[in-house]
Amino acid sequence: MATDNWKLYQKGIEYNESLEYVTKVQTNERFVSGDQWKGVKSNGLPTPVFNIIKRPLYHFIAYLISSPRKIKFTSNNEDLTLLNRIIEKNWELDKLDDKIKIWLRDAGVSGDMVGHMYWDTSIENENGIIGDYSVECIDGTNVFLGNANTKIINKRGKMFQPYVLITGREFVSRLKEEAKENEIPQEMINNIRSDEDNDNLASELGSREVETEDKKATYVIKYWFDKGTNTVHWNKETQNVTIVKDKDTKIKMCPILFENWEPRKNSYHGEAFCTQLIPAQKFINKQYAIAMIHSLLAALPIRIYDKSRLQKLTNQAGASIGIIGDPTNVIKTVEGSPVPETVMSIVDRAKQSTNESIGVNDVMLGNVTPTNATAIVQIVEQSSTTLLNQSTALNNFLEQYAEIAYEFIKNYYGEIGRNVYDEKTKTSEVFVASNIKGNPRPKIEVGSSRWWSENASIQTLDNMFSKGVIDIIQYLDRLPDDIIPRKDELIESLKATTNNAIPLQINDSQQSLPLSSTQL
């Protein structure tokens, strides 16, 4: 008999099928990866791929992550420095910068970015304390909301959805071990069996699993708000067996992060960046295929000969050819037909129109020579206004992360102090979560884009150095680390040099030292 979670999971699959959601996601994944002729029997004819989807998508992702983001908690009349250091430290340990790239790509391909936060008991902290919060990336095809008409999962610090399901595939042996650890009766554990429920994943490659004796089964984790404890509870079930019974998370918010690339009204699933480009991509590939076939069949010159006077034509170099009668006009060469200009002009117009529709230009893609850096920066900034919704969605996503992280800190750190190390002072302080009395609120601080802020900083340093405002050591010390190899050694060497050995400043009359980092 199917478990309750499995029944709800089947309802979620039916909803996705009504939207053709999984089909669209799998198609988008294939097209981004360059697999764009699936199911086409070419019979040896060209199947070219001129991918107009991957480059703009990856450019948009690069632009969104080029502005560094940082979480900062604030509260009235309360110093939250230690809390912010813990958030920053866990950001680094969890490699959140790398995961942000994955989330943005997922959103561009599937329409949704999803994160799952949990208390990880495998983490051992410096002072011997076991456990800390962590986050993992989840595909949009593996998340099912009880109220599918809204993407809002938590509202005002409390779970809003009636329930949330997340699914995954795991080896049967591991599921049995987990069930045993959670004191599930052995007769129930014996009923945990493998299944073939691997068709509703984000990639069609998910249906290809290694054939071993230990096969996989789908599990379903359910989160819901329990009014009795005023906290979120969860359990874990397969198709026929409960793996983990009702457990209290101790927090009021469902630990699921959720945002869209482009929201759709009355649905928790968003619209993917790739979906709108698929028809244009197919058209461009077909036009190129037609042009290639034309080149193979008609582009090269052909020879026509009179069979009444020449029995056989040969390509052998220097061979004698027997002709009956007058050899004049026996053989004639007909020039090949080039690909019509209209074919390629239509392709170029299709590319241009597609790029314009998604807000991409040559400047953003790096197809221009940077003769005027200021003008290029302005054009990029103006063009990137099309990404305002995605930038806002990413900020909201990280704010959800911060709110749930604080829920874990508040309810799991408790009275036990945790050492927090300060890189600047090289000292440690003890953070006790229960000492926070107020209601801290997270804010996402977004820095300037690394693309041009670094260049602007270098240019400012160049000007200050050339005018003698700063000396060579101050100049080098403030340059980005990746500009000059072994920069620290160079600075130490300069410091060790006597003051009279080299000029530490440069003015308009001194040109013995370089004036810019590009010349160093």
Side-chain angles (χ1 to χ4, degrees), residues 423-450:
E423 290 287 348
K424 294 182 180 179
T425 62
K426 307 298 182 182
T427 58
S428 293
E429 295 182 64
V430 178
F431 168 75
V432 180
S434 58
N435 289 343
I436 299 178
K437 305 303 180 183
N439 186 25
R441 294 296 306 162
K443 179 182 178 182
I444 308 301
E445 296 182 343
V446 183
S448 57
S449 174
R450 297 188 185 101

Side-chain angles (χ1 to χ4, degrees), residues 84-145:
N84 287 323
R85 284 182 195 164
I86 285 179
I87 295 292
E88 184 178 357
K89 171 193 170 186
N90 284 3
W91 178 298
E92 295 175 358
L93 293 177
D94 241 347
K95 300 187 182 300
L96 225 62
D97 288 326
D98 294 335
K99 289 178 180 177
I100 287 173
K101 299 174 189 176
I102 298 173
W103 281 320
L104 288 173
R105 186 188 183 278
D106 288 346
V109 173
S110 70
D112 306 322
M113 63 176 93
V114 189
H116 174 220
M117 298 187 69
Y118 58 98
W119 187 256
D120 190 348
T121 56
S122 67
I123 298 176
E124 183 174 352
N125 298 280
E126 295 91 339
N127 51 355
I129 299 175
I130 302 298
D132 212 336
Y133 66 89
S134 188
V135 63
E136 61 181 345
C137 302
I138 301 290
D139 293 327
T141 54
N142 291 63
V143 179
F144 305 86
L145 305 191

Side-chain angles (χ1 to χ4, degrees), residues 32-72:
V32 170
S33 302
D35 181 10
Q36 301 181 355
W37 289 88
K38 182 186 177 183
V40 176
K41 296 181 179 180
S42 63
N43 296 322
L45 295 176
T47 54
V49 174
F50 291 85
N51 204 326
I52 65 170
I53 302 175
K54 186 173 184 176
R55 189 178 178 191
L57 173 62
Y58 282 23
H59 167 80
F60 285 160
I61 293 172
Y63 177 81
L64 288 168
I65 65 176
S66 68
S67 299
R69 286 167 166 81
K70 181 180 180 181
I71 297 172
K72 184 177 181 180

Side-chain angles (χ1 to χ4, degrees), residues 472 493-505 510 512-513:
I472 183 64
S493 176
L494 289 171
K495 287 180 178 179
T497 307
T498 59
N499 293 332
N500 297 327
I502 61 167
L504 291 181
Q505 291 186 338
Q510 291 178 303
S512 60
L513 288 177

Side-chain angles (χ1 to χ4, degrees), residues 172 176 189-195 216-218 238 240-241:
V172 170
K176 288 183 176 181
I189 294 177
N190 295 336
N191 291 329
I192 302 175
R193 299 184 179 90
S194 63
D195 57 52
K216 289 184 176 182
T218 296
T238 61
N240 299 308
V241 180

Side-chain angles (χ1 to χ4, degrees), residues 55-270:
R55 189 178 178 191
L57 173 62
Y58 282 23
H59 167 80
F60 285 160
I61 293 172
Y63 177 81
L64 288 168
I65 65 176
S66 68
S67 299
R69 286 167 166 81
K70 181 180 180 181
I71 297 172
K72 184 177 181 180
F73 277 89
T74 58
S75 181
N76 295 333
N77 304 320
E78 200 164 7
D79 184 6
L80 301 178
T81 303
L82 296 181
L83 172 61
N84 287 323
R85 284 182 195 164
I86 285 179
I87 295 292
E88 184 178 357
K89 171 193 170 186
N90 284 3
W91 178 298
E92 295 175 358
L93 293 177
D94 241 347
K95 300 187 182 300
L96 225 62
D97 288 326
D98 294 335
K99 289 178 180 177
I100 287 173
K101 299 174 189 176
I102 298 173
W103 281 320
L104 288 173
R105 186 188 183 278
D106 288 346
V109 173
S110 70
D112 306 322
M113 63 176 93
V114 189
H116 174 220
M117 298 187 69
Y118 58 98
W119 187 256
D120 190 348
T121 56
S122 67
I123 298 176
E124 183 174 352
N125 298 280
E126 295 91 339
N127 51 355
I129 299 175
I130 302 298
D132 212 336
Y133 66 89
S134 188
V135 63
E136 61 181 345
C137 302
I138 301 290
D139 293 327
T141 54
N142 291 63
V143 179
F144 305 86
L145 305 191
N147 181 1
N149 301 117
T150 178
K151 66 178 181 180
I152 299 174
I153 296 179
N154 296 296
K155 201 172 193 179
R156 294 185 178 275
K158 187 177 178 180
M159 184 171 179
F160 177 72
Q161 285 282 339
Y163 66 84
V164 176
L165 306 179
I166 59 173
T167 64
R169 302 277 294 169
E170 185 56 274
F171 289 106
V172 170
S173 61
R174 293 187 178 180
L175 291 173
K176 288 183 176 181
E177 289 176 6
E178 187 177 5
K180 187 175 182 180
E181 291 172 359
N182 286 276
E183 300 179 350
I184 302 300
Q186 187 60 45
E187 59 269 20
M188 297 296 295
I189 294 177
N190 295 336
N191 291 329
I192 302 175
R193 299 184 179 90
S194 63
D195 57 52
E196 302 297 328
D197 183 59
N198 52 13
D199 297 327
N200 295 290
L201 304 178
S203 170
E204 293 166 338
L205 299 178
S207 61
R208 303 176 187 177
E209 298 176 348
V210 178
E211 291 295 331
T212 61
E213 293 183 1
D214 189 8
K215 298 184 182 298
K216 289 184 176 182
T218 296
Y219 63 82
V220 184
I221 295 175
K222 177 185 176 183
Y223 286 103
W224 73 95
F225 190 83
D226 187 281
K227 294 181 179 179
T229 60
N230 202 31
T231 55
V232 173
H233 287 224
W234 69 281
N235 66 7
K236 183 176 181 179
E237 297 177 339
T238 61
Q239 183 173 0
N240 299 308
V241 180
T242 297
I243 305 296
V244 180
K245 293 182 179 180
D246 182 347
K247 281 199 172 185
D248 191 349
T249 64
K250 301 180 183 179
I251 63 176
K252 295 182 179 181
M253 299 179 68
C254 179
I256 302 294
L257 322 175
F258 197 93
E259 265 296 344
N260 305 132
W261 180 271
E262 191 69 42
R264 292 293 303 272
K265 284 186 175 295
N266 301 320
S267 177
Y268 75 96
H269 288 307

Side-chain angles (χ1 to χ4, degrees), residues 206-412:
S207 61
R208 303 176 187 177
E209 298 176 348
V210 178
E211 291 295 331
T212 61
E213 293 183 1
D214 189 8
K215 298 184 182 298
K216 289 184 176 182
T218 296
Y219 63 82
V220 184
I221 295 175
K222 177 185 176 183
Y223 286 103
W224 73 95
F225 190 83
D226 187 281
K227 294 181 179 179
T229 60
N230 202 31
T231 55
V232 173
H233 287 224
W234 69 281
N235 66 7
K236 183 176 181 179
E237 297 177 339
T238 61
Q239 183 173 0
N240 299 308
V241 180
T242 297
I243 305 296
V244 180
K245 293 182 179 180
D246 182 347
K247 281 199 172 185
D248 191 349
T249 64
K250 301 180 183 179
I251 63 176
K252 295 182 179 181
M253 299 179 68
C254 179
I256 302 294
L257 322 175
F258 197 93
E259 265 296 344
N260 305 132
W261 180 271
E262 191 69 42
R264 292 293 303 272
K265 284 186 175 295
N266 301 320
S267 177
Y268 75 96
H269 288 307
E271 188 70 22
F273 167 79
C274 302
T275 304
Q276 60 181 321
L277 302 181
I278 299 295
Q281 179 68 76
K282 290 181 178 179
F283 171 78
I284 290 171
N285 286 348
K286 289 177 181 178
Q287 287 295 102
Y288 271 114
I290 291 171
M292 289 180 175
I293 293 172
H294 182 277
S295 297
L296 291 173
L297 298 179
L300 298 176
I302 59 175
R303 291 176 293 176
I304 302 175
Y305 63 94
D306 187 348
K307 293 183 68 173
S308 64
R309 288 187 288 170
L310 179 62
Q311 294 182 352
K312 186 178 180 181
L313 188 65
T314 179
N315 290 323
Q316 184 179 352
S320 299
I321 303 175
I323 299 175
I324 300 174
D326 186 2
T328 305
N329 296 327
V330 173
I331 301 176
K332 183 178 181 181
T333 300
V334 179
E335 293 297 328
S337 173
V339 177
E341 292 184 4
T342 54
V343 174
M344 299 313 298
S345 65
I346 289 174
V347 171
D348 291 338
R349 285 203 298 270
K351 287 182 177 179
Q352 182 180 356
S353 299
T354 300
N355 285 341
E356 289 176 355
S357 69
I358 61 178
V360 171
N361 54 43
D362 288 337
V363 174
M364 296 183 72
L365 295 177
N367 295 333
V368 296
T369 303
T371 55
N372 188 334
T374 302
I376 289 176
V377 167
Q378 291 176 348
I379 293 173
V380 171
E381 286 182 320
Q382 292 172 1
S383 302
S384 299
T385 56
T386 57
L387 292 175
L388 180 61
N389 287 343
Q390 288 71 41
S391 180
T392 302
L394 178 58
N395 292 341
N396 291 340
F397 190 85
L398 294 176
E399 188 172 315
Q400 295 174 38
Y401 167 86
E403 290 176 343
I404 298 172
Y406 178 67
E407 278 279 294
F408 277 113
I409 291 173
K410 181 175 61 175
N411 292 283
Y412 280 79

